[in-house]
Amino acid sequence: MYYIGIDVGGTNLKAGLVDEHYQIAATKKMPLQFTSMEQMGETLADMAIALAEENHIPRSQVASVGMGFPGPVDDRRGVVVKTVNIPIRFMPVAEMFHRRWDVPVHLGNDADCAALGEFYHYEDKDVESLILVTLGTGIGTGIILHGKIHAGINGCAGEGGHMVIVHGGEPCTCGRQGCWERYASANALIRQTRAAMEADRGSAMWAMAGGLEGVDGRTAFAAMREGDGTARAVVGRYLDYLANGLSNLVNIFQPEVISLGGGVSHERDEDLLLPLQGMILEQCFGRESDRHTRLTKAKLGNDAGMIGAALLGL
């Protein structure tokens, strides 16, 4: 049997045909273009049907279709409540899909789907709890407890990026102030790097980035490795913010694993994972125990959401 997963992004739709070993057998990608929710529902169904047909998979061999959306969903009713950056509100996706194909349909939040994909691919199959933290424009988190997505009473659980770590701090797009993602996302690191460069015109980061416009999430780490003191201060402060939020997650959930994803997670272990692991241990309850949350790097990259969506049916 096969499972189809569709990752609904802000600009593209990505669909994956996943086999019984949780491996991608084929993929399909297309731009996100629609003029109505009705048309989008048709597009999602047509995309899934085409993926199966193009790979000569009979519809009877597809156990289920799962879809991950950037926002809260109601899987019981097959409804997408709302999405971020896409004009969708209370969209009856399952009903629309079944007009084209009567196959079991499951809906999930995109971060939850990514966490589920990472969970099924984690090398230690005895692990039952994992939190995926993705460092990007904001901070996305997906929570797996006892082998299942923890979506909360209304599908909105897992918004770790919007826990406040600085009371009365920087305003966030969610309406609160001092949210974790305003200080520890990849975009936050870029802002912090630029601010430090403007305060120190002699920093090696100027030459390394070619100016403020060339700054990315790697700039401060790279300059730190070249011995730049200002860059070292930027990285140190950033890791402190990152560890603060990670420690909060550990203290609340005590998961077996926290998996870091996003571009920042690709930094060398000695510059990222190892110092973070030590900082988290210092801040967490239960540090006297012989069992602690393991901090790892996510493995699936951009495929995590697509694979996790496919596995919602499990």
Side-chain angles (χ1 to χ4, degrees):
M1 296 296 288
Y2 291 88
Y3 308 87
I4 290 177
I6 302 177
D7 186 7
V8 180
T11 56
N12 292 296
L13 298 174
K14 296 188 302 179
L17 186 67
V18 177
D19 63 24
E20 292 179 319
H21 302 290
Y22 317 140
Q23 303 299 315
I24 295 178
T27 62
K28 188 176 183 65
K29 183 177 179 179
M30 61 186 294
L32 177 64
Q33 296 177 338
F34 67 100
T35 56
S36 66
M37 290 194 294
E38 188 77 22
Q39 183 189 21
M40 184 173 182
E42 294 175 357
T43 298
L44 291 169
D46 290 344
M47 189 179 191
I49 292 169
L51 179 62
E53 291 180 348
E54 289 168 7
N55 291 280
H56 310 292
I57 303 297
R59 294 192 193 183
S60 60
Q61 290 298 305
V62 177
S64 61
V65 176
M67 289 170 267
F69 290 82
V73 302
D74 184 341
D75 186 40
R76 291 179 301 172
R77 294 190 297 149
V79 172
V80 177
V81 179
K82 69 175 182 178
T83 55
V84 179
N85 299 325
I86 308 174
I88 293 177
R89 295 293 185 275
F90 297 101
M91 177 180 172
V93 175
E95 176 188 326
M96 294 175 172
F97 197 99
H98 286 150
R99 295 171 192 167
R100 298 288 181 109
W101 185 4
D102 187 21
V103 64
V105 169
H106 300 278
L107 307 180
N109 169 268
D110 56 355
D112 290 340
C113 289
L116 189 65
E118 292 290 342
F119 174 76
Y120 271 100
H121 283 77
Y122 195 71
E123 64 270 14
D124 185 350
K125 299 307 178 185
D126 290 331
V127 165
E128 292 189 344
S129 58
L130 177 148
I131 297 178
L132 175 67
V133 176
T134 304
L135 308 172
T137 303
I139 293 182
T141 56
I143 302 169
I144 306 296
L145 299 178
H146 306 296
K148 297 181 179 180
I149 292 172
H150 177 67
I153 193 171
N154 56 9
C156 294
E159 290 293 343
H162 296 290
M163 60 180 162
V164 170
I165 65 167
V166 179
H167 181 66
E170 293 184 23
C172 182
T173 54
C174 74
R176 305 185 79 190
Q177 290 180 279
C179 288
W180 187 30
E181 71 174 37
R182 292 297 299 170
Y183 296 88
S185 64
N187 273 19
L189 176 57
I190 290 171
R191 292 195 303 272
Q192 293 157 15
T193 301
R194 287 173 174 164
M197 288 168 60
E198 290 181 316
D200 180 8
R201 293 282 172 172
S203 170
M205 292 187 286
W206 283 97
M208 190 165 288
L212 294 177
E213 294 304 314
V215 172
D216 59 23
R218 301 182 295 269
T219 302
F221 280 94
M224 177 188 71
R225 288 191 283 269
E226 296 297 321
D228 185 77
T230 298
R232 180 173 297 279
V234 170
V235 171
R237 190 179 185 202
Y238 173 74
L239 291 182
D240 188 50
Y241 285 133
L242 187 51
N244 191 319
L246 292 173
S247 299
N248 289 344
L249 292 176
V250 172
N251 282 336
I252 296 169
F253 296 104
Q254 291 292 343
E256 292 164 275
V257 176
I258 289 182
S259 187
L260 284 184
V264 178
S265 71
H266 298 150
E267 293 296 336
R268 300 187 312 187
D269 287 358
E270 55 265 40
D271 295 332
L272 185 73
L273 287 191
L274 294 181
L276 278 175
Q277 187 81 67
M279 296 164 77
I280 293 169
L281 188 59
E282 289 178 1
Q283 298 180 41
C284 288
F285 285 89
R287 52 184 172 272
E288 300 84 6
S289 170
D290 60 353
R291 299 187 67 198
H292 304 111
T293 298
R294 284 174 275 171
L295 190 63
T296 66
K297 291 182 179 179
K299 293 178 169 53
L300 299 181
N302 292 331
D303 290 339
M306 187 168 53
I307 295 174
L311 300 180
L312 287 172
L314 298 180

